[in-house]
Amino acid sequence: GAVVSQHPSRVICKSGTSVKIECRSLDFQATTMFWYRQFPKQSLMLMATSNEGSKATYEQGVEKDKFLINHASLTLSTLTVTSAHPEDSSFYICSARQGNTIYFGEGSWLTVV
Amino acid sequence: AQSVTQPDIHITVSEGASLELRCNYSYGATPYLFWYVQSPGQGLQLLLKYFSGDTLVQGIKGFEAEFKRSQSSFNLRKPSVHWSDAAEYFCAVAIGVFNEKLTFGTGTRLTIIP
């Protein structure tokens, strides 16, 4: 079964609105989770590291005020895309490590219209 | 900086034929290496991983990969592909203090023909 779960799997939102994506670790605690983005026909790129109880660490070129990350508990990290634009349409996927294995969520397809 | 190269963007293989997907990495320390598969419209599924020990790693769905330090390679192989293997395959190297962040290659799209 799934070790890391994401919700929603698909979401459509209007330009200018905000949308939240959840990433949950199931049956284990993850003090650190990771958010990746994948544009169509491209590879996955790390966006940020979500740290439980502290601020997220963003990769170069990722706007922290646009992509808000909250890691309020040991099993939940959320990514909020604020003031979404069509160019934010992408596949967003999170990961967490359990032991020596890095598990990914199912991913979330965001379409901004 | 670390990097992963997958030289083949697209590979077409006949069903039942053998498969090898290439992956080369550049990383200063001992690499933790992964192969993931992504079916259309789906998330990532872990096929196999290498941390240490035996350089030939067995994974799920009949896949295996061999770590060759001298060649900085971690090629994925399968002796006989099935139509359901058609997907995008990503090689990745783990980085960071706890090897939790992944740097991905650009992926190889596998097409299976009858």
Side-chain angles (χ1 to χ4, degrees):
Chain A
V3 180
V4 176
S5 178
Q6 260 182 263
H7 177 81
S9 58
R10 293 181 183 275
V11 58
I12 299 173
C13 71
K14 292 183 177 181
S15 289
T17 62
S18 296
V19 61
K20 180 186 290 186
I21 301 170
E22 294 184 346
C23 177
R24 293 182 184 274
S25 58
L26 307 178
D27 300 324
F28 73 100
Q29 295 178 338
T31 56
T32 307
M33 294 183 177
F34 301 88
W35 287 96
Y36 295 80
R37 179 171 55 187
Q38 183 185 32
F39 289 110
K41 300 188 184 300
Q42 295 187 28
S43 189
L44 296 96
M45 299 296 292
L46 179 65
M47 297 176 65
T49 301
S50 174
N51 303 300
E52 188 272 332
S54 65
K55 293 183 179 180
T57 306
Y58 291 82
E59 297 298 306
Q60 190 174 9
V62 178
E63 300 175 60
K64 62 179 181 180
D65 294 330
K66 180 170 185 63
F67 299 99
L68 301 179
I69 292 173
N70 182 275
H71 196 149
S73 78
L74 288 170
T75 60
L76 174 64
S77 173
T78 61
L79 169 68
T80 301
V81 182
T82 64
S83 187
H85 290 148
E87 54 263 34
D88 297 325
S89 299
S90 185
F91 182 67
Y92 295 87
I93 192 167
C94 67
S95 73
R97 191 180 80 163
Q98 183 186 33
N100 285 331
T101 301
I102 298 171
Y103 292 98
F104 282 84
E106 305 92 339
S108 300
W109 291 95
L110 170 62
T111 302
V112 184
V113 298
Chain B
Q2 69 287 338
S3 66
V4 177
T5 302
Q6 292 181 246
D8 305 304
I9 297 174
H10 184 203
I11 285 182
T12 300
V13 177
S14 298
E15 190 169 13
S18 63
L19 170 71
E20 182 169 29
L21 301 182
R22 296 184 291 168
C23 172
N24 292 95
Y25 68 90
S26 173
Y27 187 53
T30 299
Y32 285 12
L33 296 160
F34 301 80
W35 274 100
Y36 287 88
V37 60
Q38 185 181 35
S39 297
Q42 303 295 314
L44 293 174
Q45 182 179 24
L46 177 67
L47 287 177
L48 47 79
K49 60 185 185 290
Y50 170 79
F51 286 159
S52 63
D54 192 348
T55 56
L56 184 62
V57 181
Q58 300 298 319
I60 63 170
K61 302 184 178 184
F63 286 93
E64 66 177 26
E66 186 171 13
F67 170 62
K68 293 185 177 180
R69 185 184 297 276
S70 61
Q71 298 178 18
S72 296
S73 69
F74 188 56
N75 295 347
L76 182 71
R77 301 193 294 249
K78 186 170 184 177
S80 176
V81 298
H82 186 262
W83 64 266
S84 60
D85 293 325
E88 189 88 19
Y89 291 80
F90 292 97
C91 180
V93 61
I95 61 173
V97 176
F98 300 106
N99 294 301
E100 298 176 291
K101 300 191 288 187
L102 296 182
T103 294
F104 285 88
T106 50
T108 297
R109 183 161 61 94
L110 175 64
T111 298
I112 308 295
I113 56 176

